[in-house]
Amino acid sequence: MSKYKLVLLRHGEGTWNKENRFCSWVDQKLSEDGVKEAQDCGRLLKEQGYKFDLVFTSILSRSIQTAWLVLEAMDQEWVPVVKSWRLNERHYGALIGLNRAEMALQHGEEKVKLWRRSYDITPPLIDESHPYYLEIYNDRRYTTCDVPKENLPRAESLKEVLDRLLPFWHSTVVPEIQRGKTVLISAHGNSCRALLKHLEGVSDEDIANVTLPTGIPVQHELDENLKPLKPRQLLGDQAKIQAAIKKVEDQGKAKQAT
C-alpha cells in the first residue's frame, strides 16, 4: 500500500519546442498544441480522481501556464501554486536559441546527445555577447531568487540541475508530501529528469535514456521514506506516449535539419 503519491509533469509544448530550439531560461509561452496538451492532461487527471493540495512550478511562463491550465481543466483553480527558480529548466548556456538538428549537422549527433542527455557534461557558458544574455539576466523574475543574480548559473549539466534542485526539494516539497498533501510538480524535461534520478537512484549512465514527453503526467507511489514502491507510470494512451518519446529523442538528429 502506497503512503504518498507524487505527480511530475513536463510542461506542454512551448513555442521553441515546436521550432526544435534550445529554450532553457528564455521565457516562452506554450504553443497551441502545448495548451491542448496541458488541458488534456488536466482532464485525464480529473478522470483518474486526482485532487491536488499543492502545485510547484518553476518561474518560467510555460511551466506556470501549464499548471494553470491543468488546474482549470480539473476544476481546481483554487489550489495554491508555489514557484521557484530551482525548478527551472536546465541552463543550456551558449546553446540557448540554437536549433538542435542544425547543431547535430554541425557538431555531430553524439556531441549534441552528450550536451542534451548526459549527466555531468556542462555546455559552453553563456556570456554577455550572447543574443539572449540580457533578456535572461535583466528579467525582473531573477531578482526574486534566493541567491544573488550574479550567482545564478551561466550553464548547467544535469548534475548541476540536481544540485540546485535538491535544497528546494528537501526544504519545501518533502515536508508538504510528508504532511499527506497530494503534490503536482509542473516543471521541465531536465528538472523532472533530475528529480527522477534522485527518487529512483538512476545511474549516471542510464539517466541519458530517460525521456519525458511534453504534457504527459508521471505518477510515482512512494513509501514513508519517499522511495518508489513500483516503477514510474506515464499516464495516458501508451501508444501515443511512445510516439511522443520518440519525437523527443529524434530532436537531436541531423536529418531533421531543413
Side-chain angles (χ1 to χ4, degrees), residues 27 83 178 229 254:
D27 197 50
K83 307 174 185 74
Q178 291 177 330
L229 289 164

Side-chain angles (χ1 to χ4, degrees), residues 28-43:
Q28 294 283 317
K29 305 290 188 184
L30 298 180
S31 68
E32 287 186 18
D33 287 343
V35 169
K36 184 177 185 301
E37 286 175 351
Q39 292 168 332
D40 288 347
C41 174
R43 284 188 280 268

Side-chain angles (χ1 to χ4, degrees), residues 4 46 52-53 59 90-91 100 119 134 152 168 177 181 188 201 208 242:
Y4 307 115
K46 182 179 181 180
F52 291 114
D53 300 302
I59 59 173
R90 175 182 174 187
H91 196 309
R100 297 181 185 93
Y119 180 57
L134 292 178
L152 291 171
F168 181 75
I177 294 173
K181 293 187 177 179
H188 303 265
Q242 290 307 310

Side-chain angles (χ1 to χ4, degrees), residues 141-250:
R141 77 191 69 206
Y142 293 111
T143 65
T144 69
C145 300
D146 57 358
V147 298
K149 193 190 292 187
E150 59 268 21
N151 291 346
L152 291 171
R154 297 298 188 261
E156 294 174 303
S157 64
L158 189 66
K159 179 182 186 300
E160 289 163 321
V161 174
L162 184 56
D163 288 344
R164 54 105 154 148
L165 188 156
L166 282 180
F168 181 75
W169 167 254
H170 288 303
S171 69
T172 306
V173 183
V174 166
E176 299 293 351
I177 294 173
Q178 291 177 330
R179 290 185 187 106
K181 293 187 177 179
T182 303
V183 166
L184 168 67
I185 297 178
S186 172
H188 303 265
N190 283 297
S191 45
C192 287
R193 288 175 65 234
L195 190 51
L196 286 175
K197 186 181 192 306
H198 171 71
L199 288 172
E200 300 175 8
V202 181
S203 72
D204 295 359
E205 294 74 27
D206 289 345
I207 194 62
N209 299 316
V210 174
T211 301
L212 297 178
T214 55
I216 302 295
V218 182
Q219 175 187 282
H220 253 313
E221 297 185 20
L222 307 172
D223 66 16
E224 64 273 11
N225 298 313
L226 300 189
K227 299 296 184 186
L229 289 164
K230 55 181 73 172
R232 77 181 90 99
Q233 184 181 1
L234 276 67
L235 304 178
D237 183 300
Q238 295 303 305
K240 288 182 180 177
I241 289 170
Q242 290 307 310
I245 288 173
K246 185 176 187 305
K247 180 180 177 182
V248 174
E249 290 174 345
D250 284 349

Side-chain angles (χ1 to χ4, degrees), residues 1 12 42 63 78 82 98 106-108 111 115 128 132 134-135 144 158 162 164 167 189 210 215 234 258:
M1 187 77 179
S63 162
W78 61 271
V82 177
L98 299 176
Q106 185 177 346
H107 298 282
K111 184 69 171 179
W115 279 333
E128 293 184 11
Y132 290 98
L134 292 178
E135 181 173 332
T144 69
L158 189 66
L162 184 56
R164 54 105 154 148
V210 174
L234 276 67
T258 57

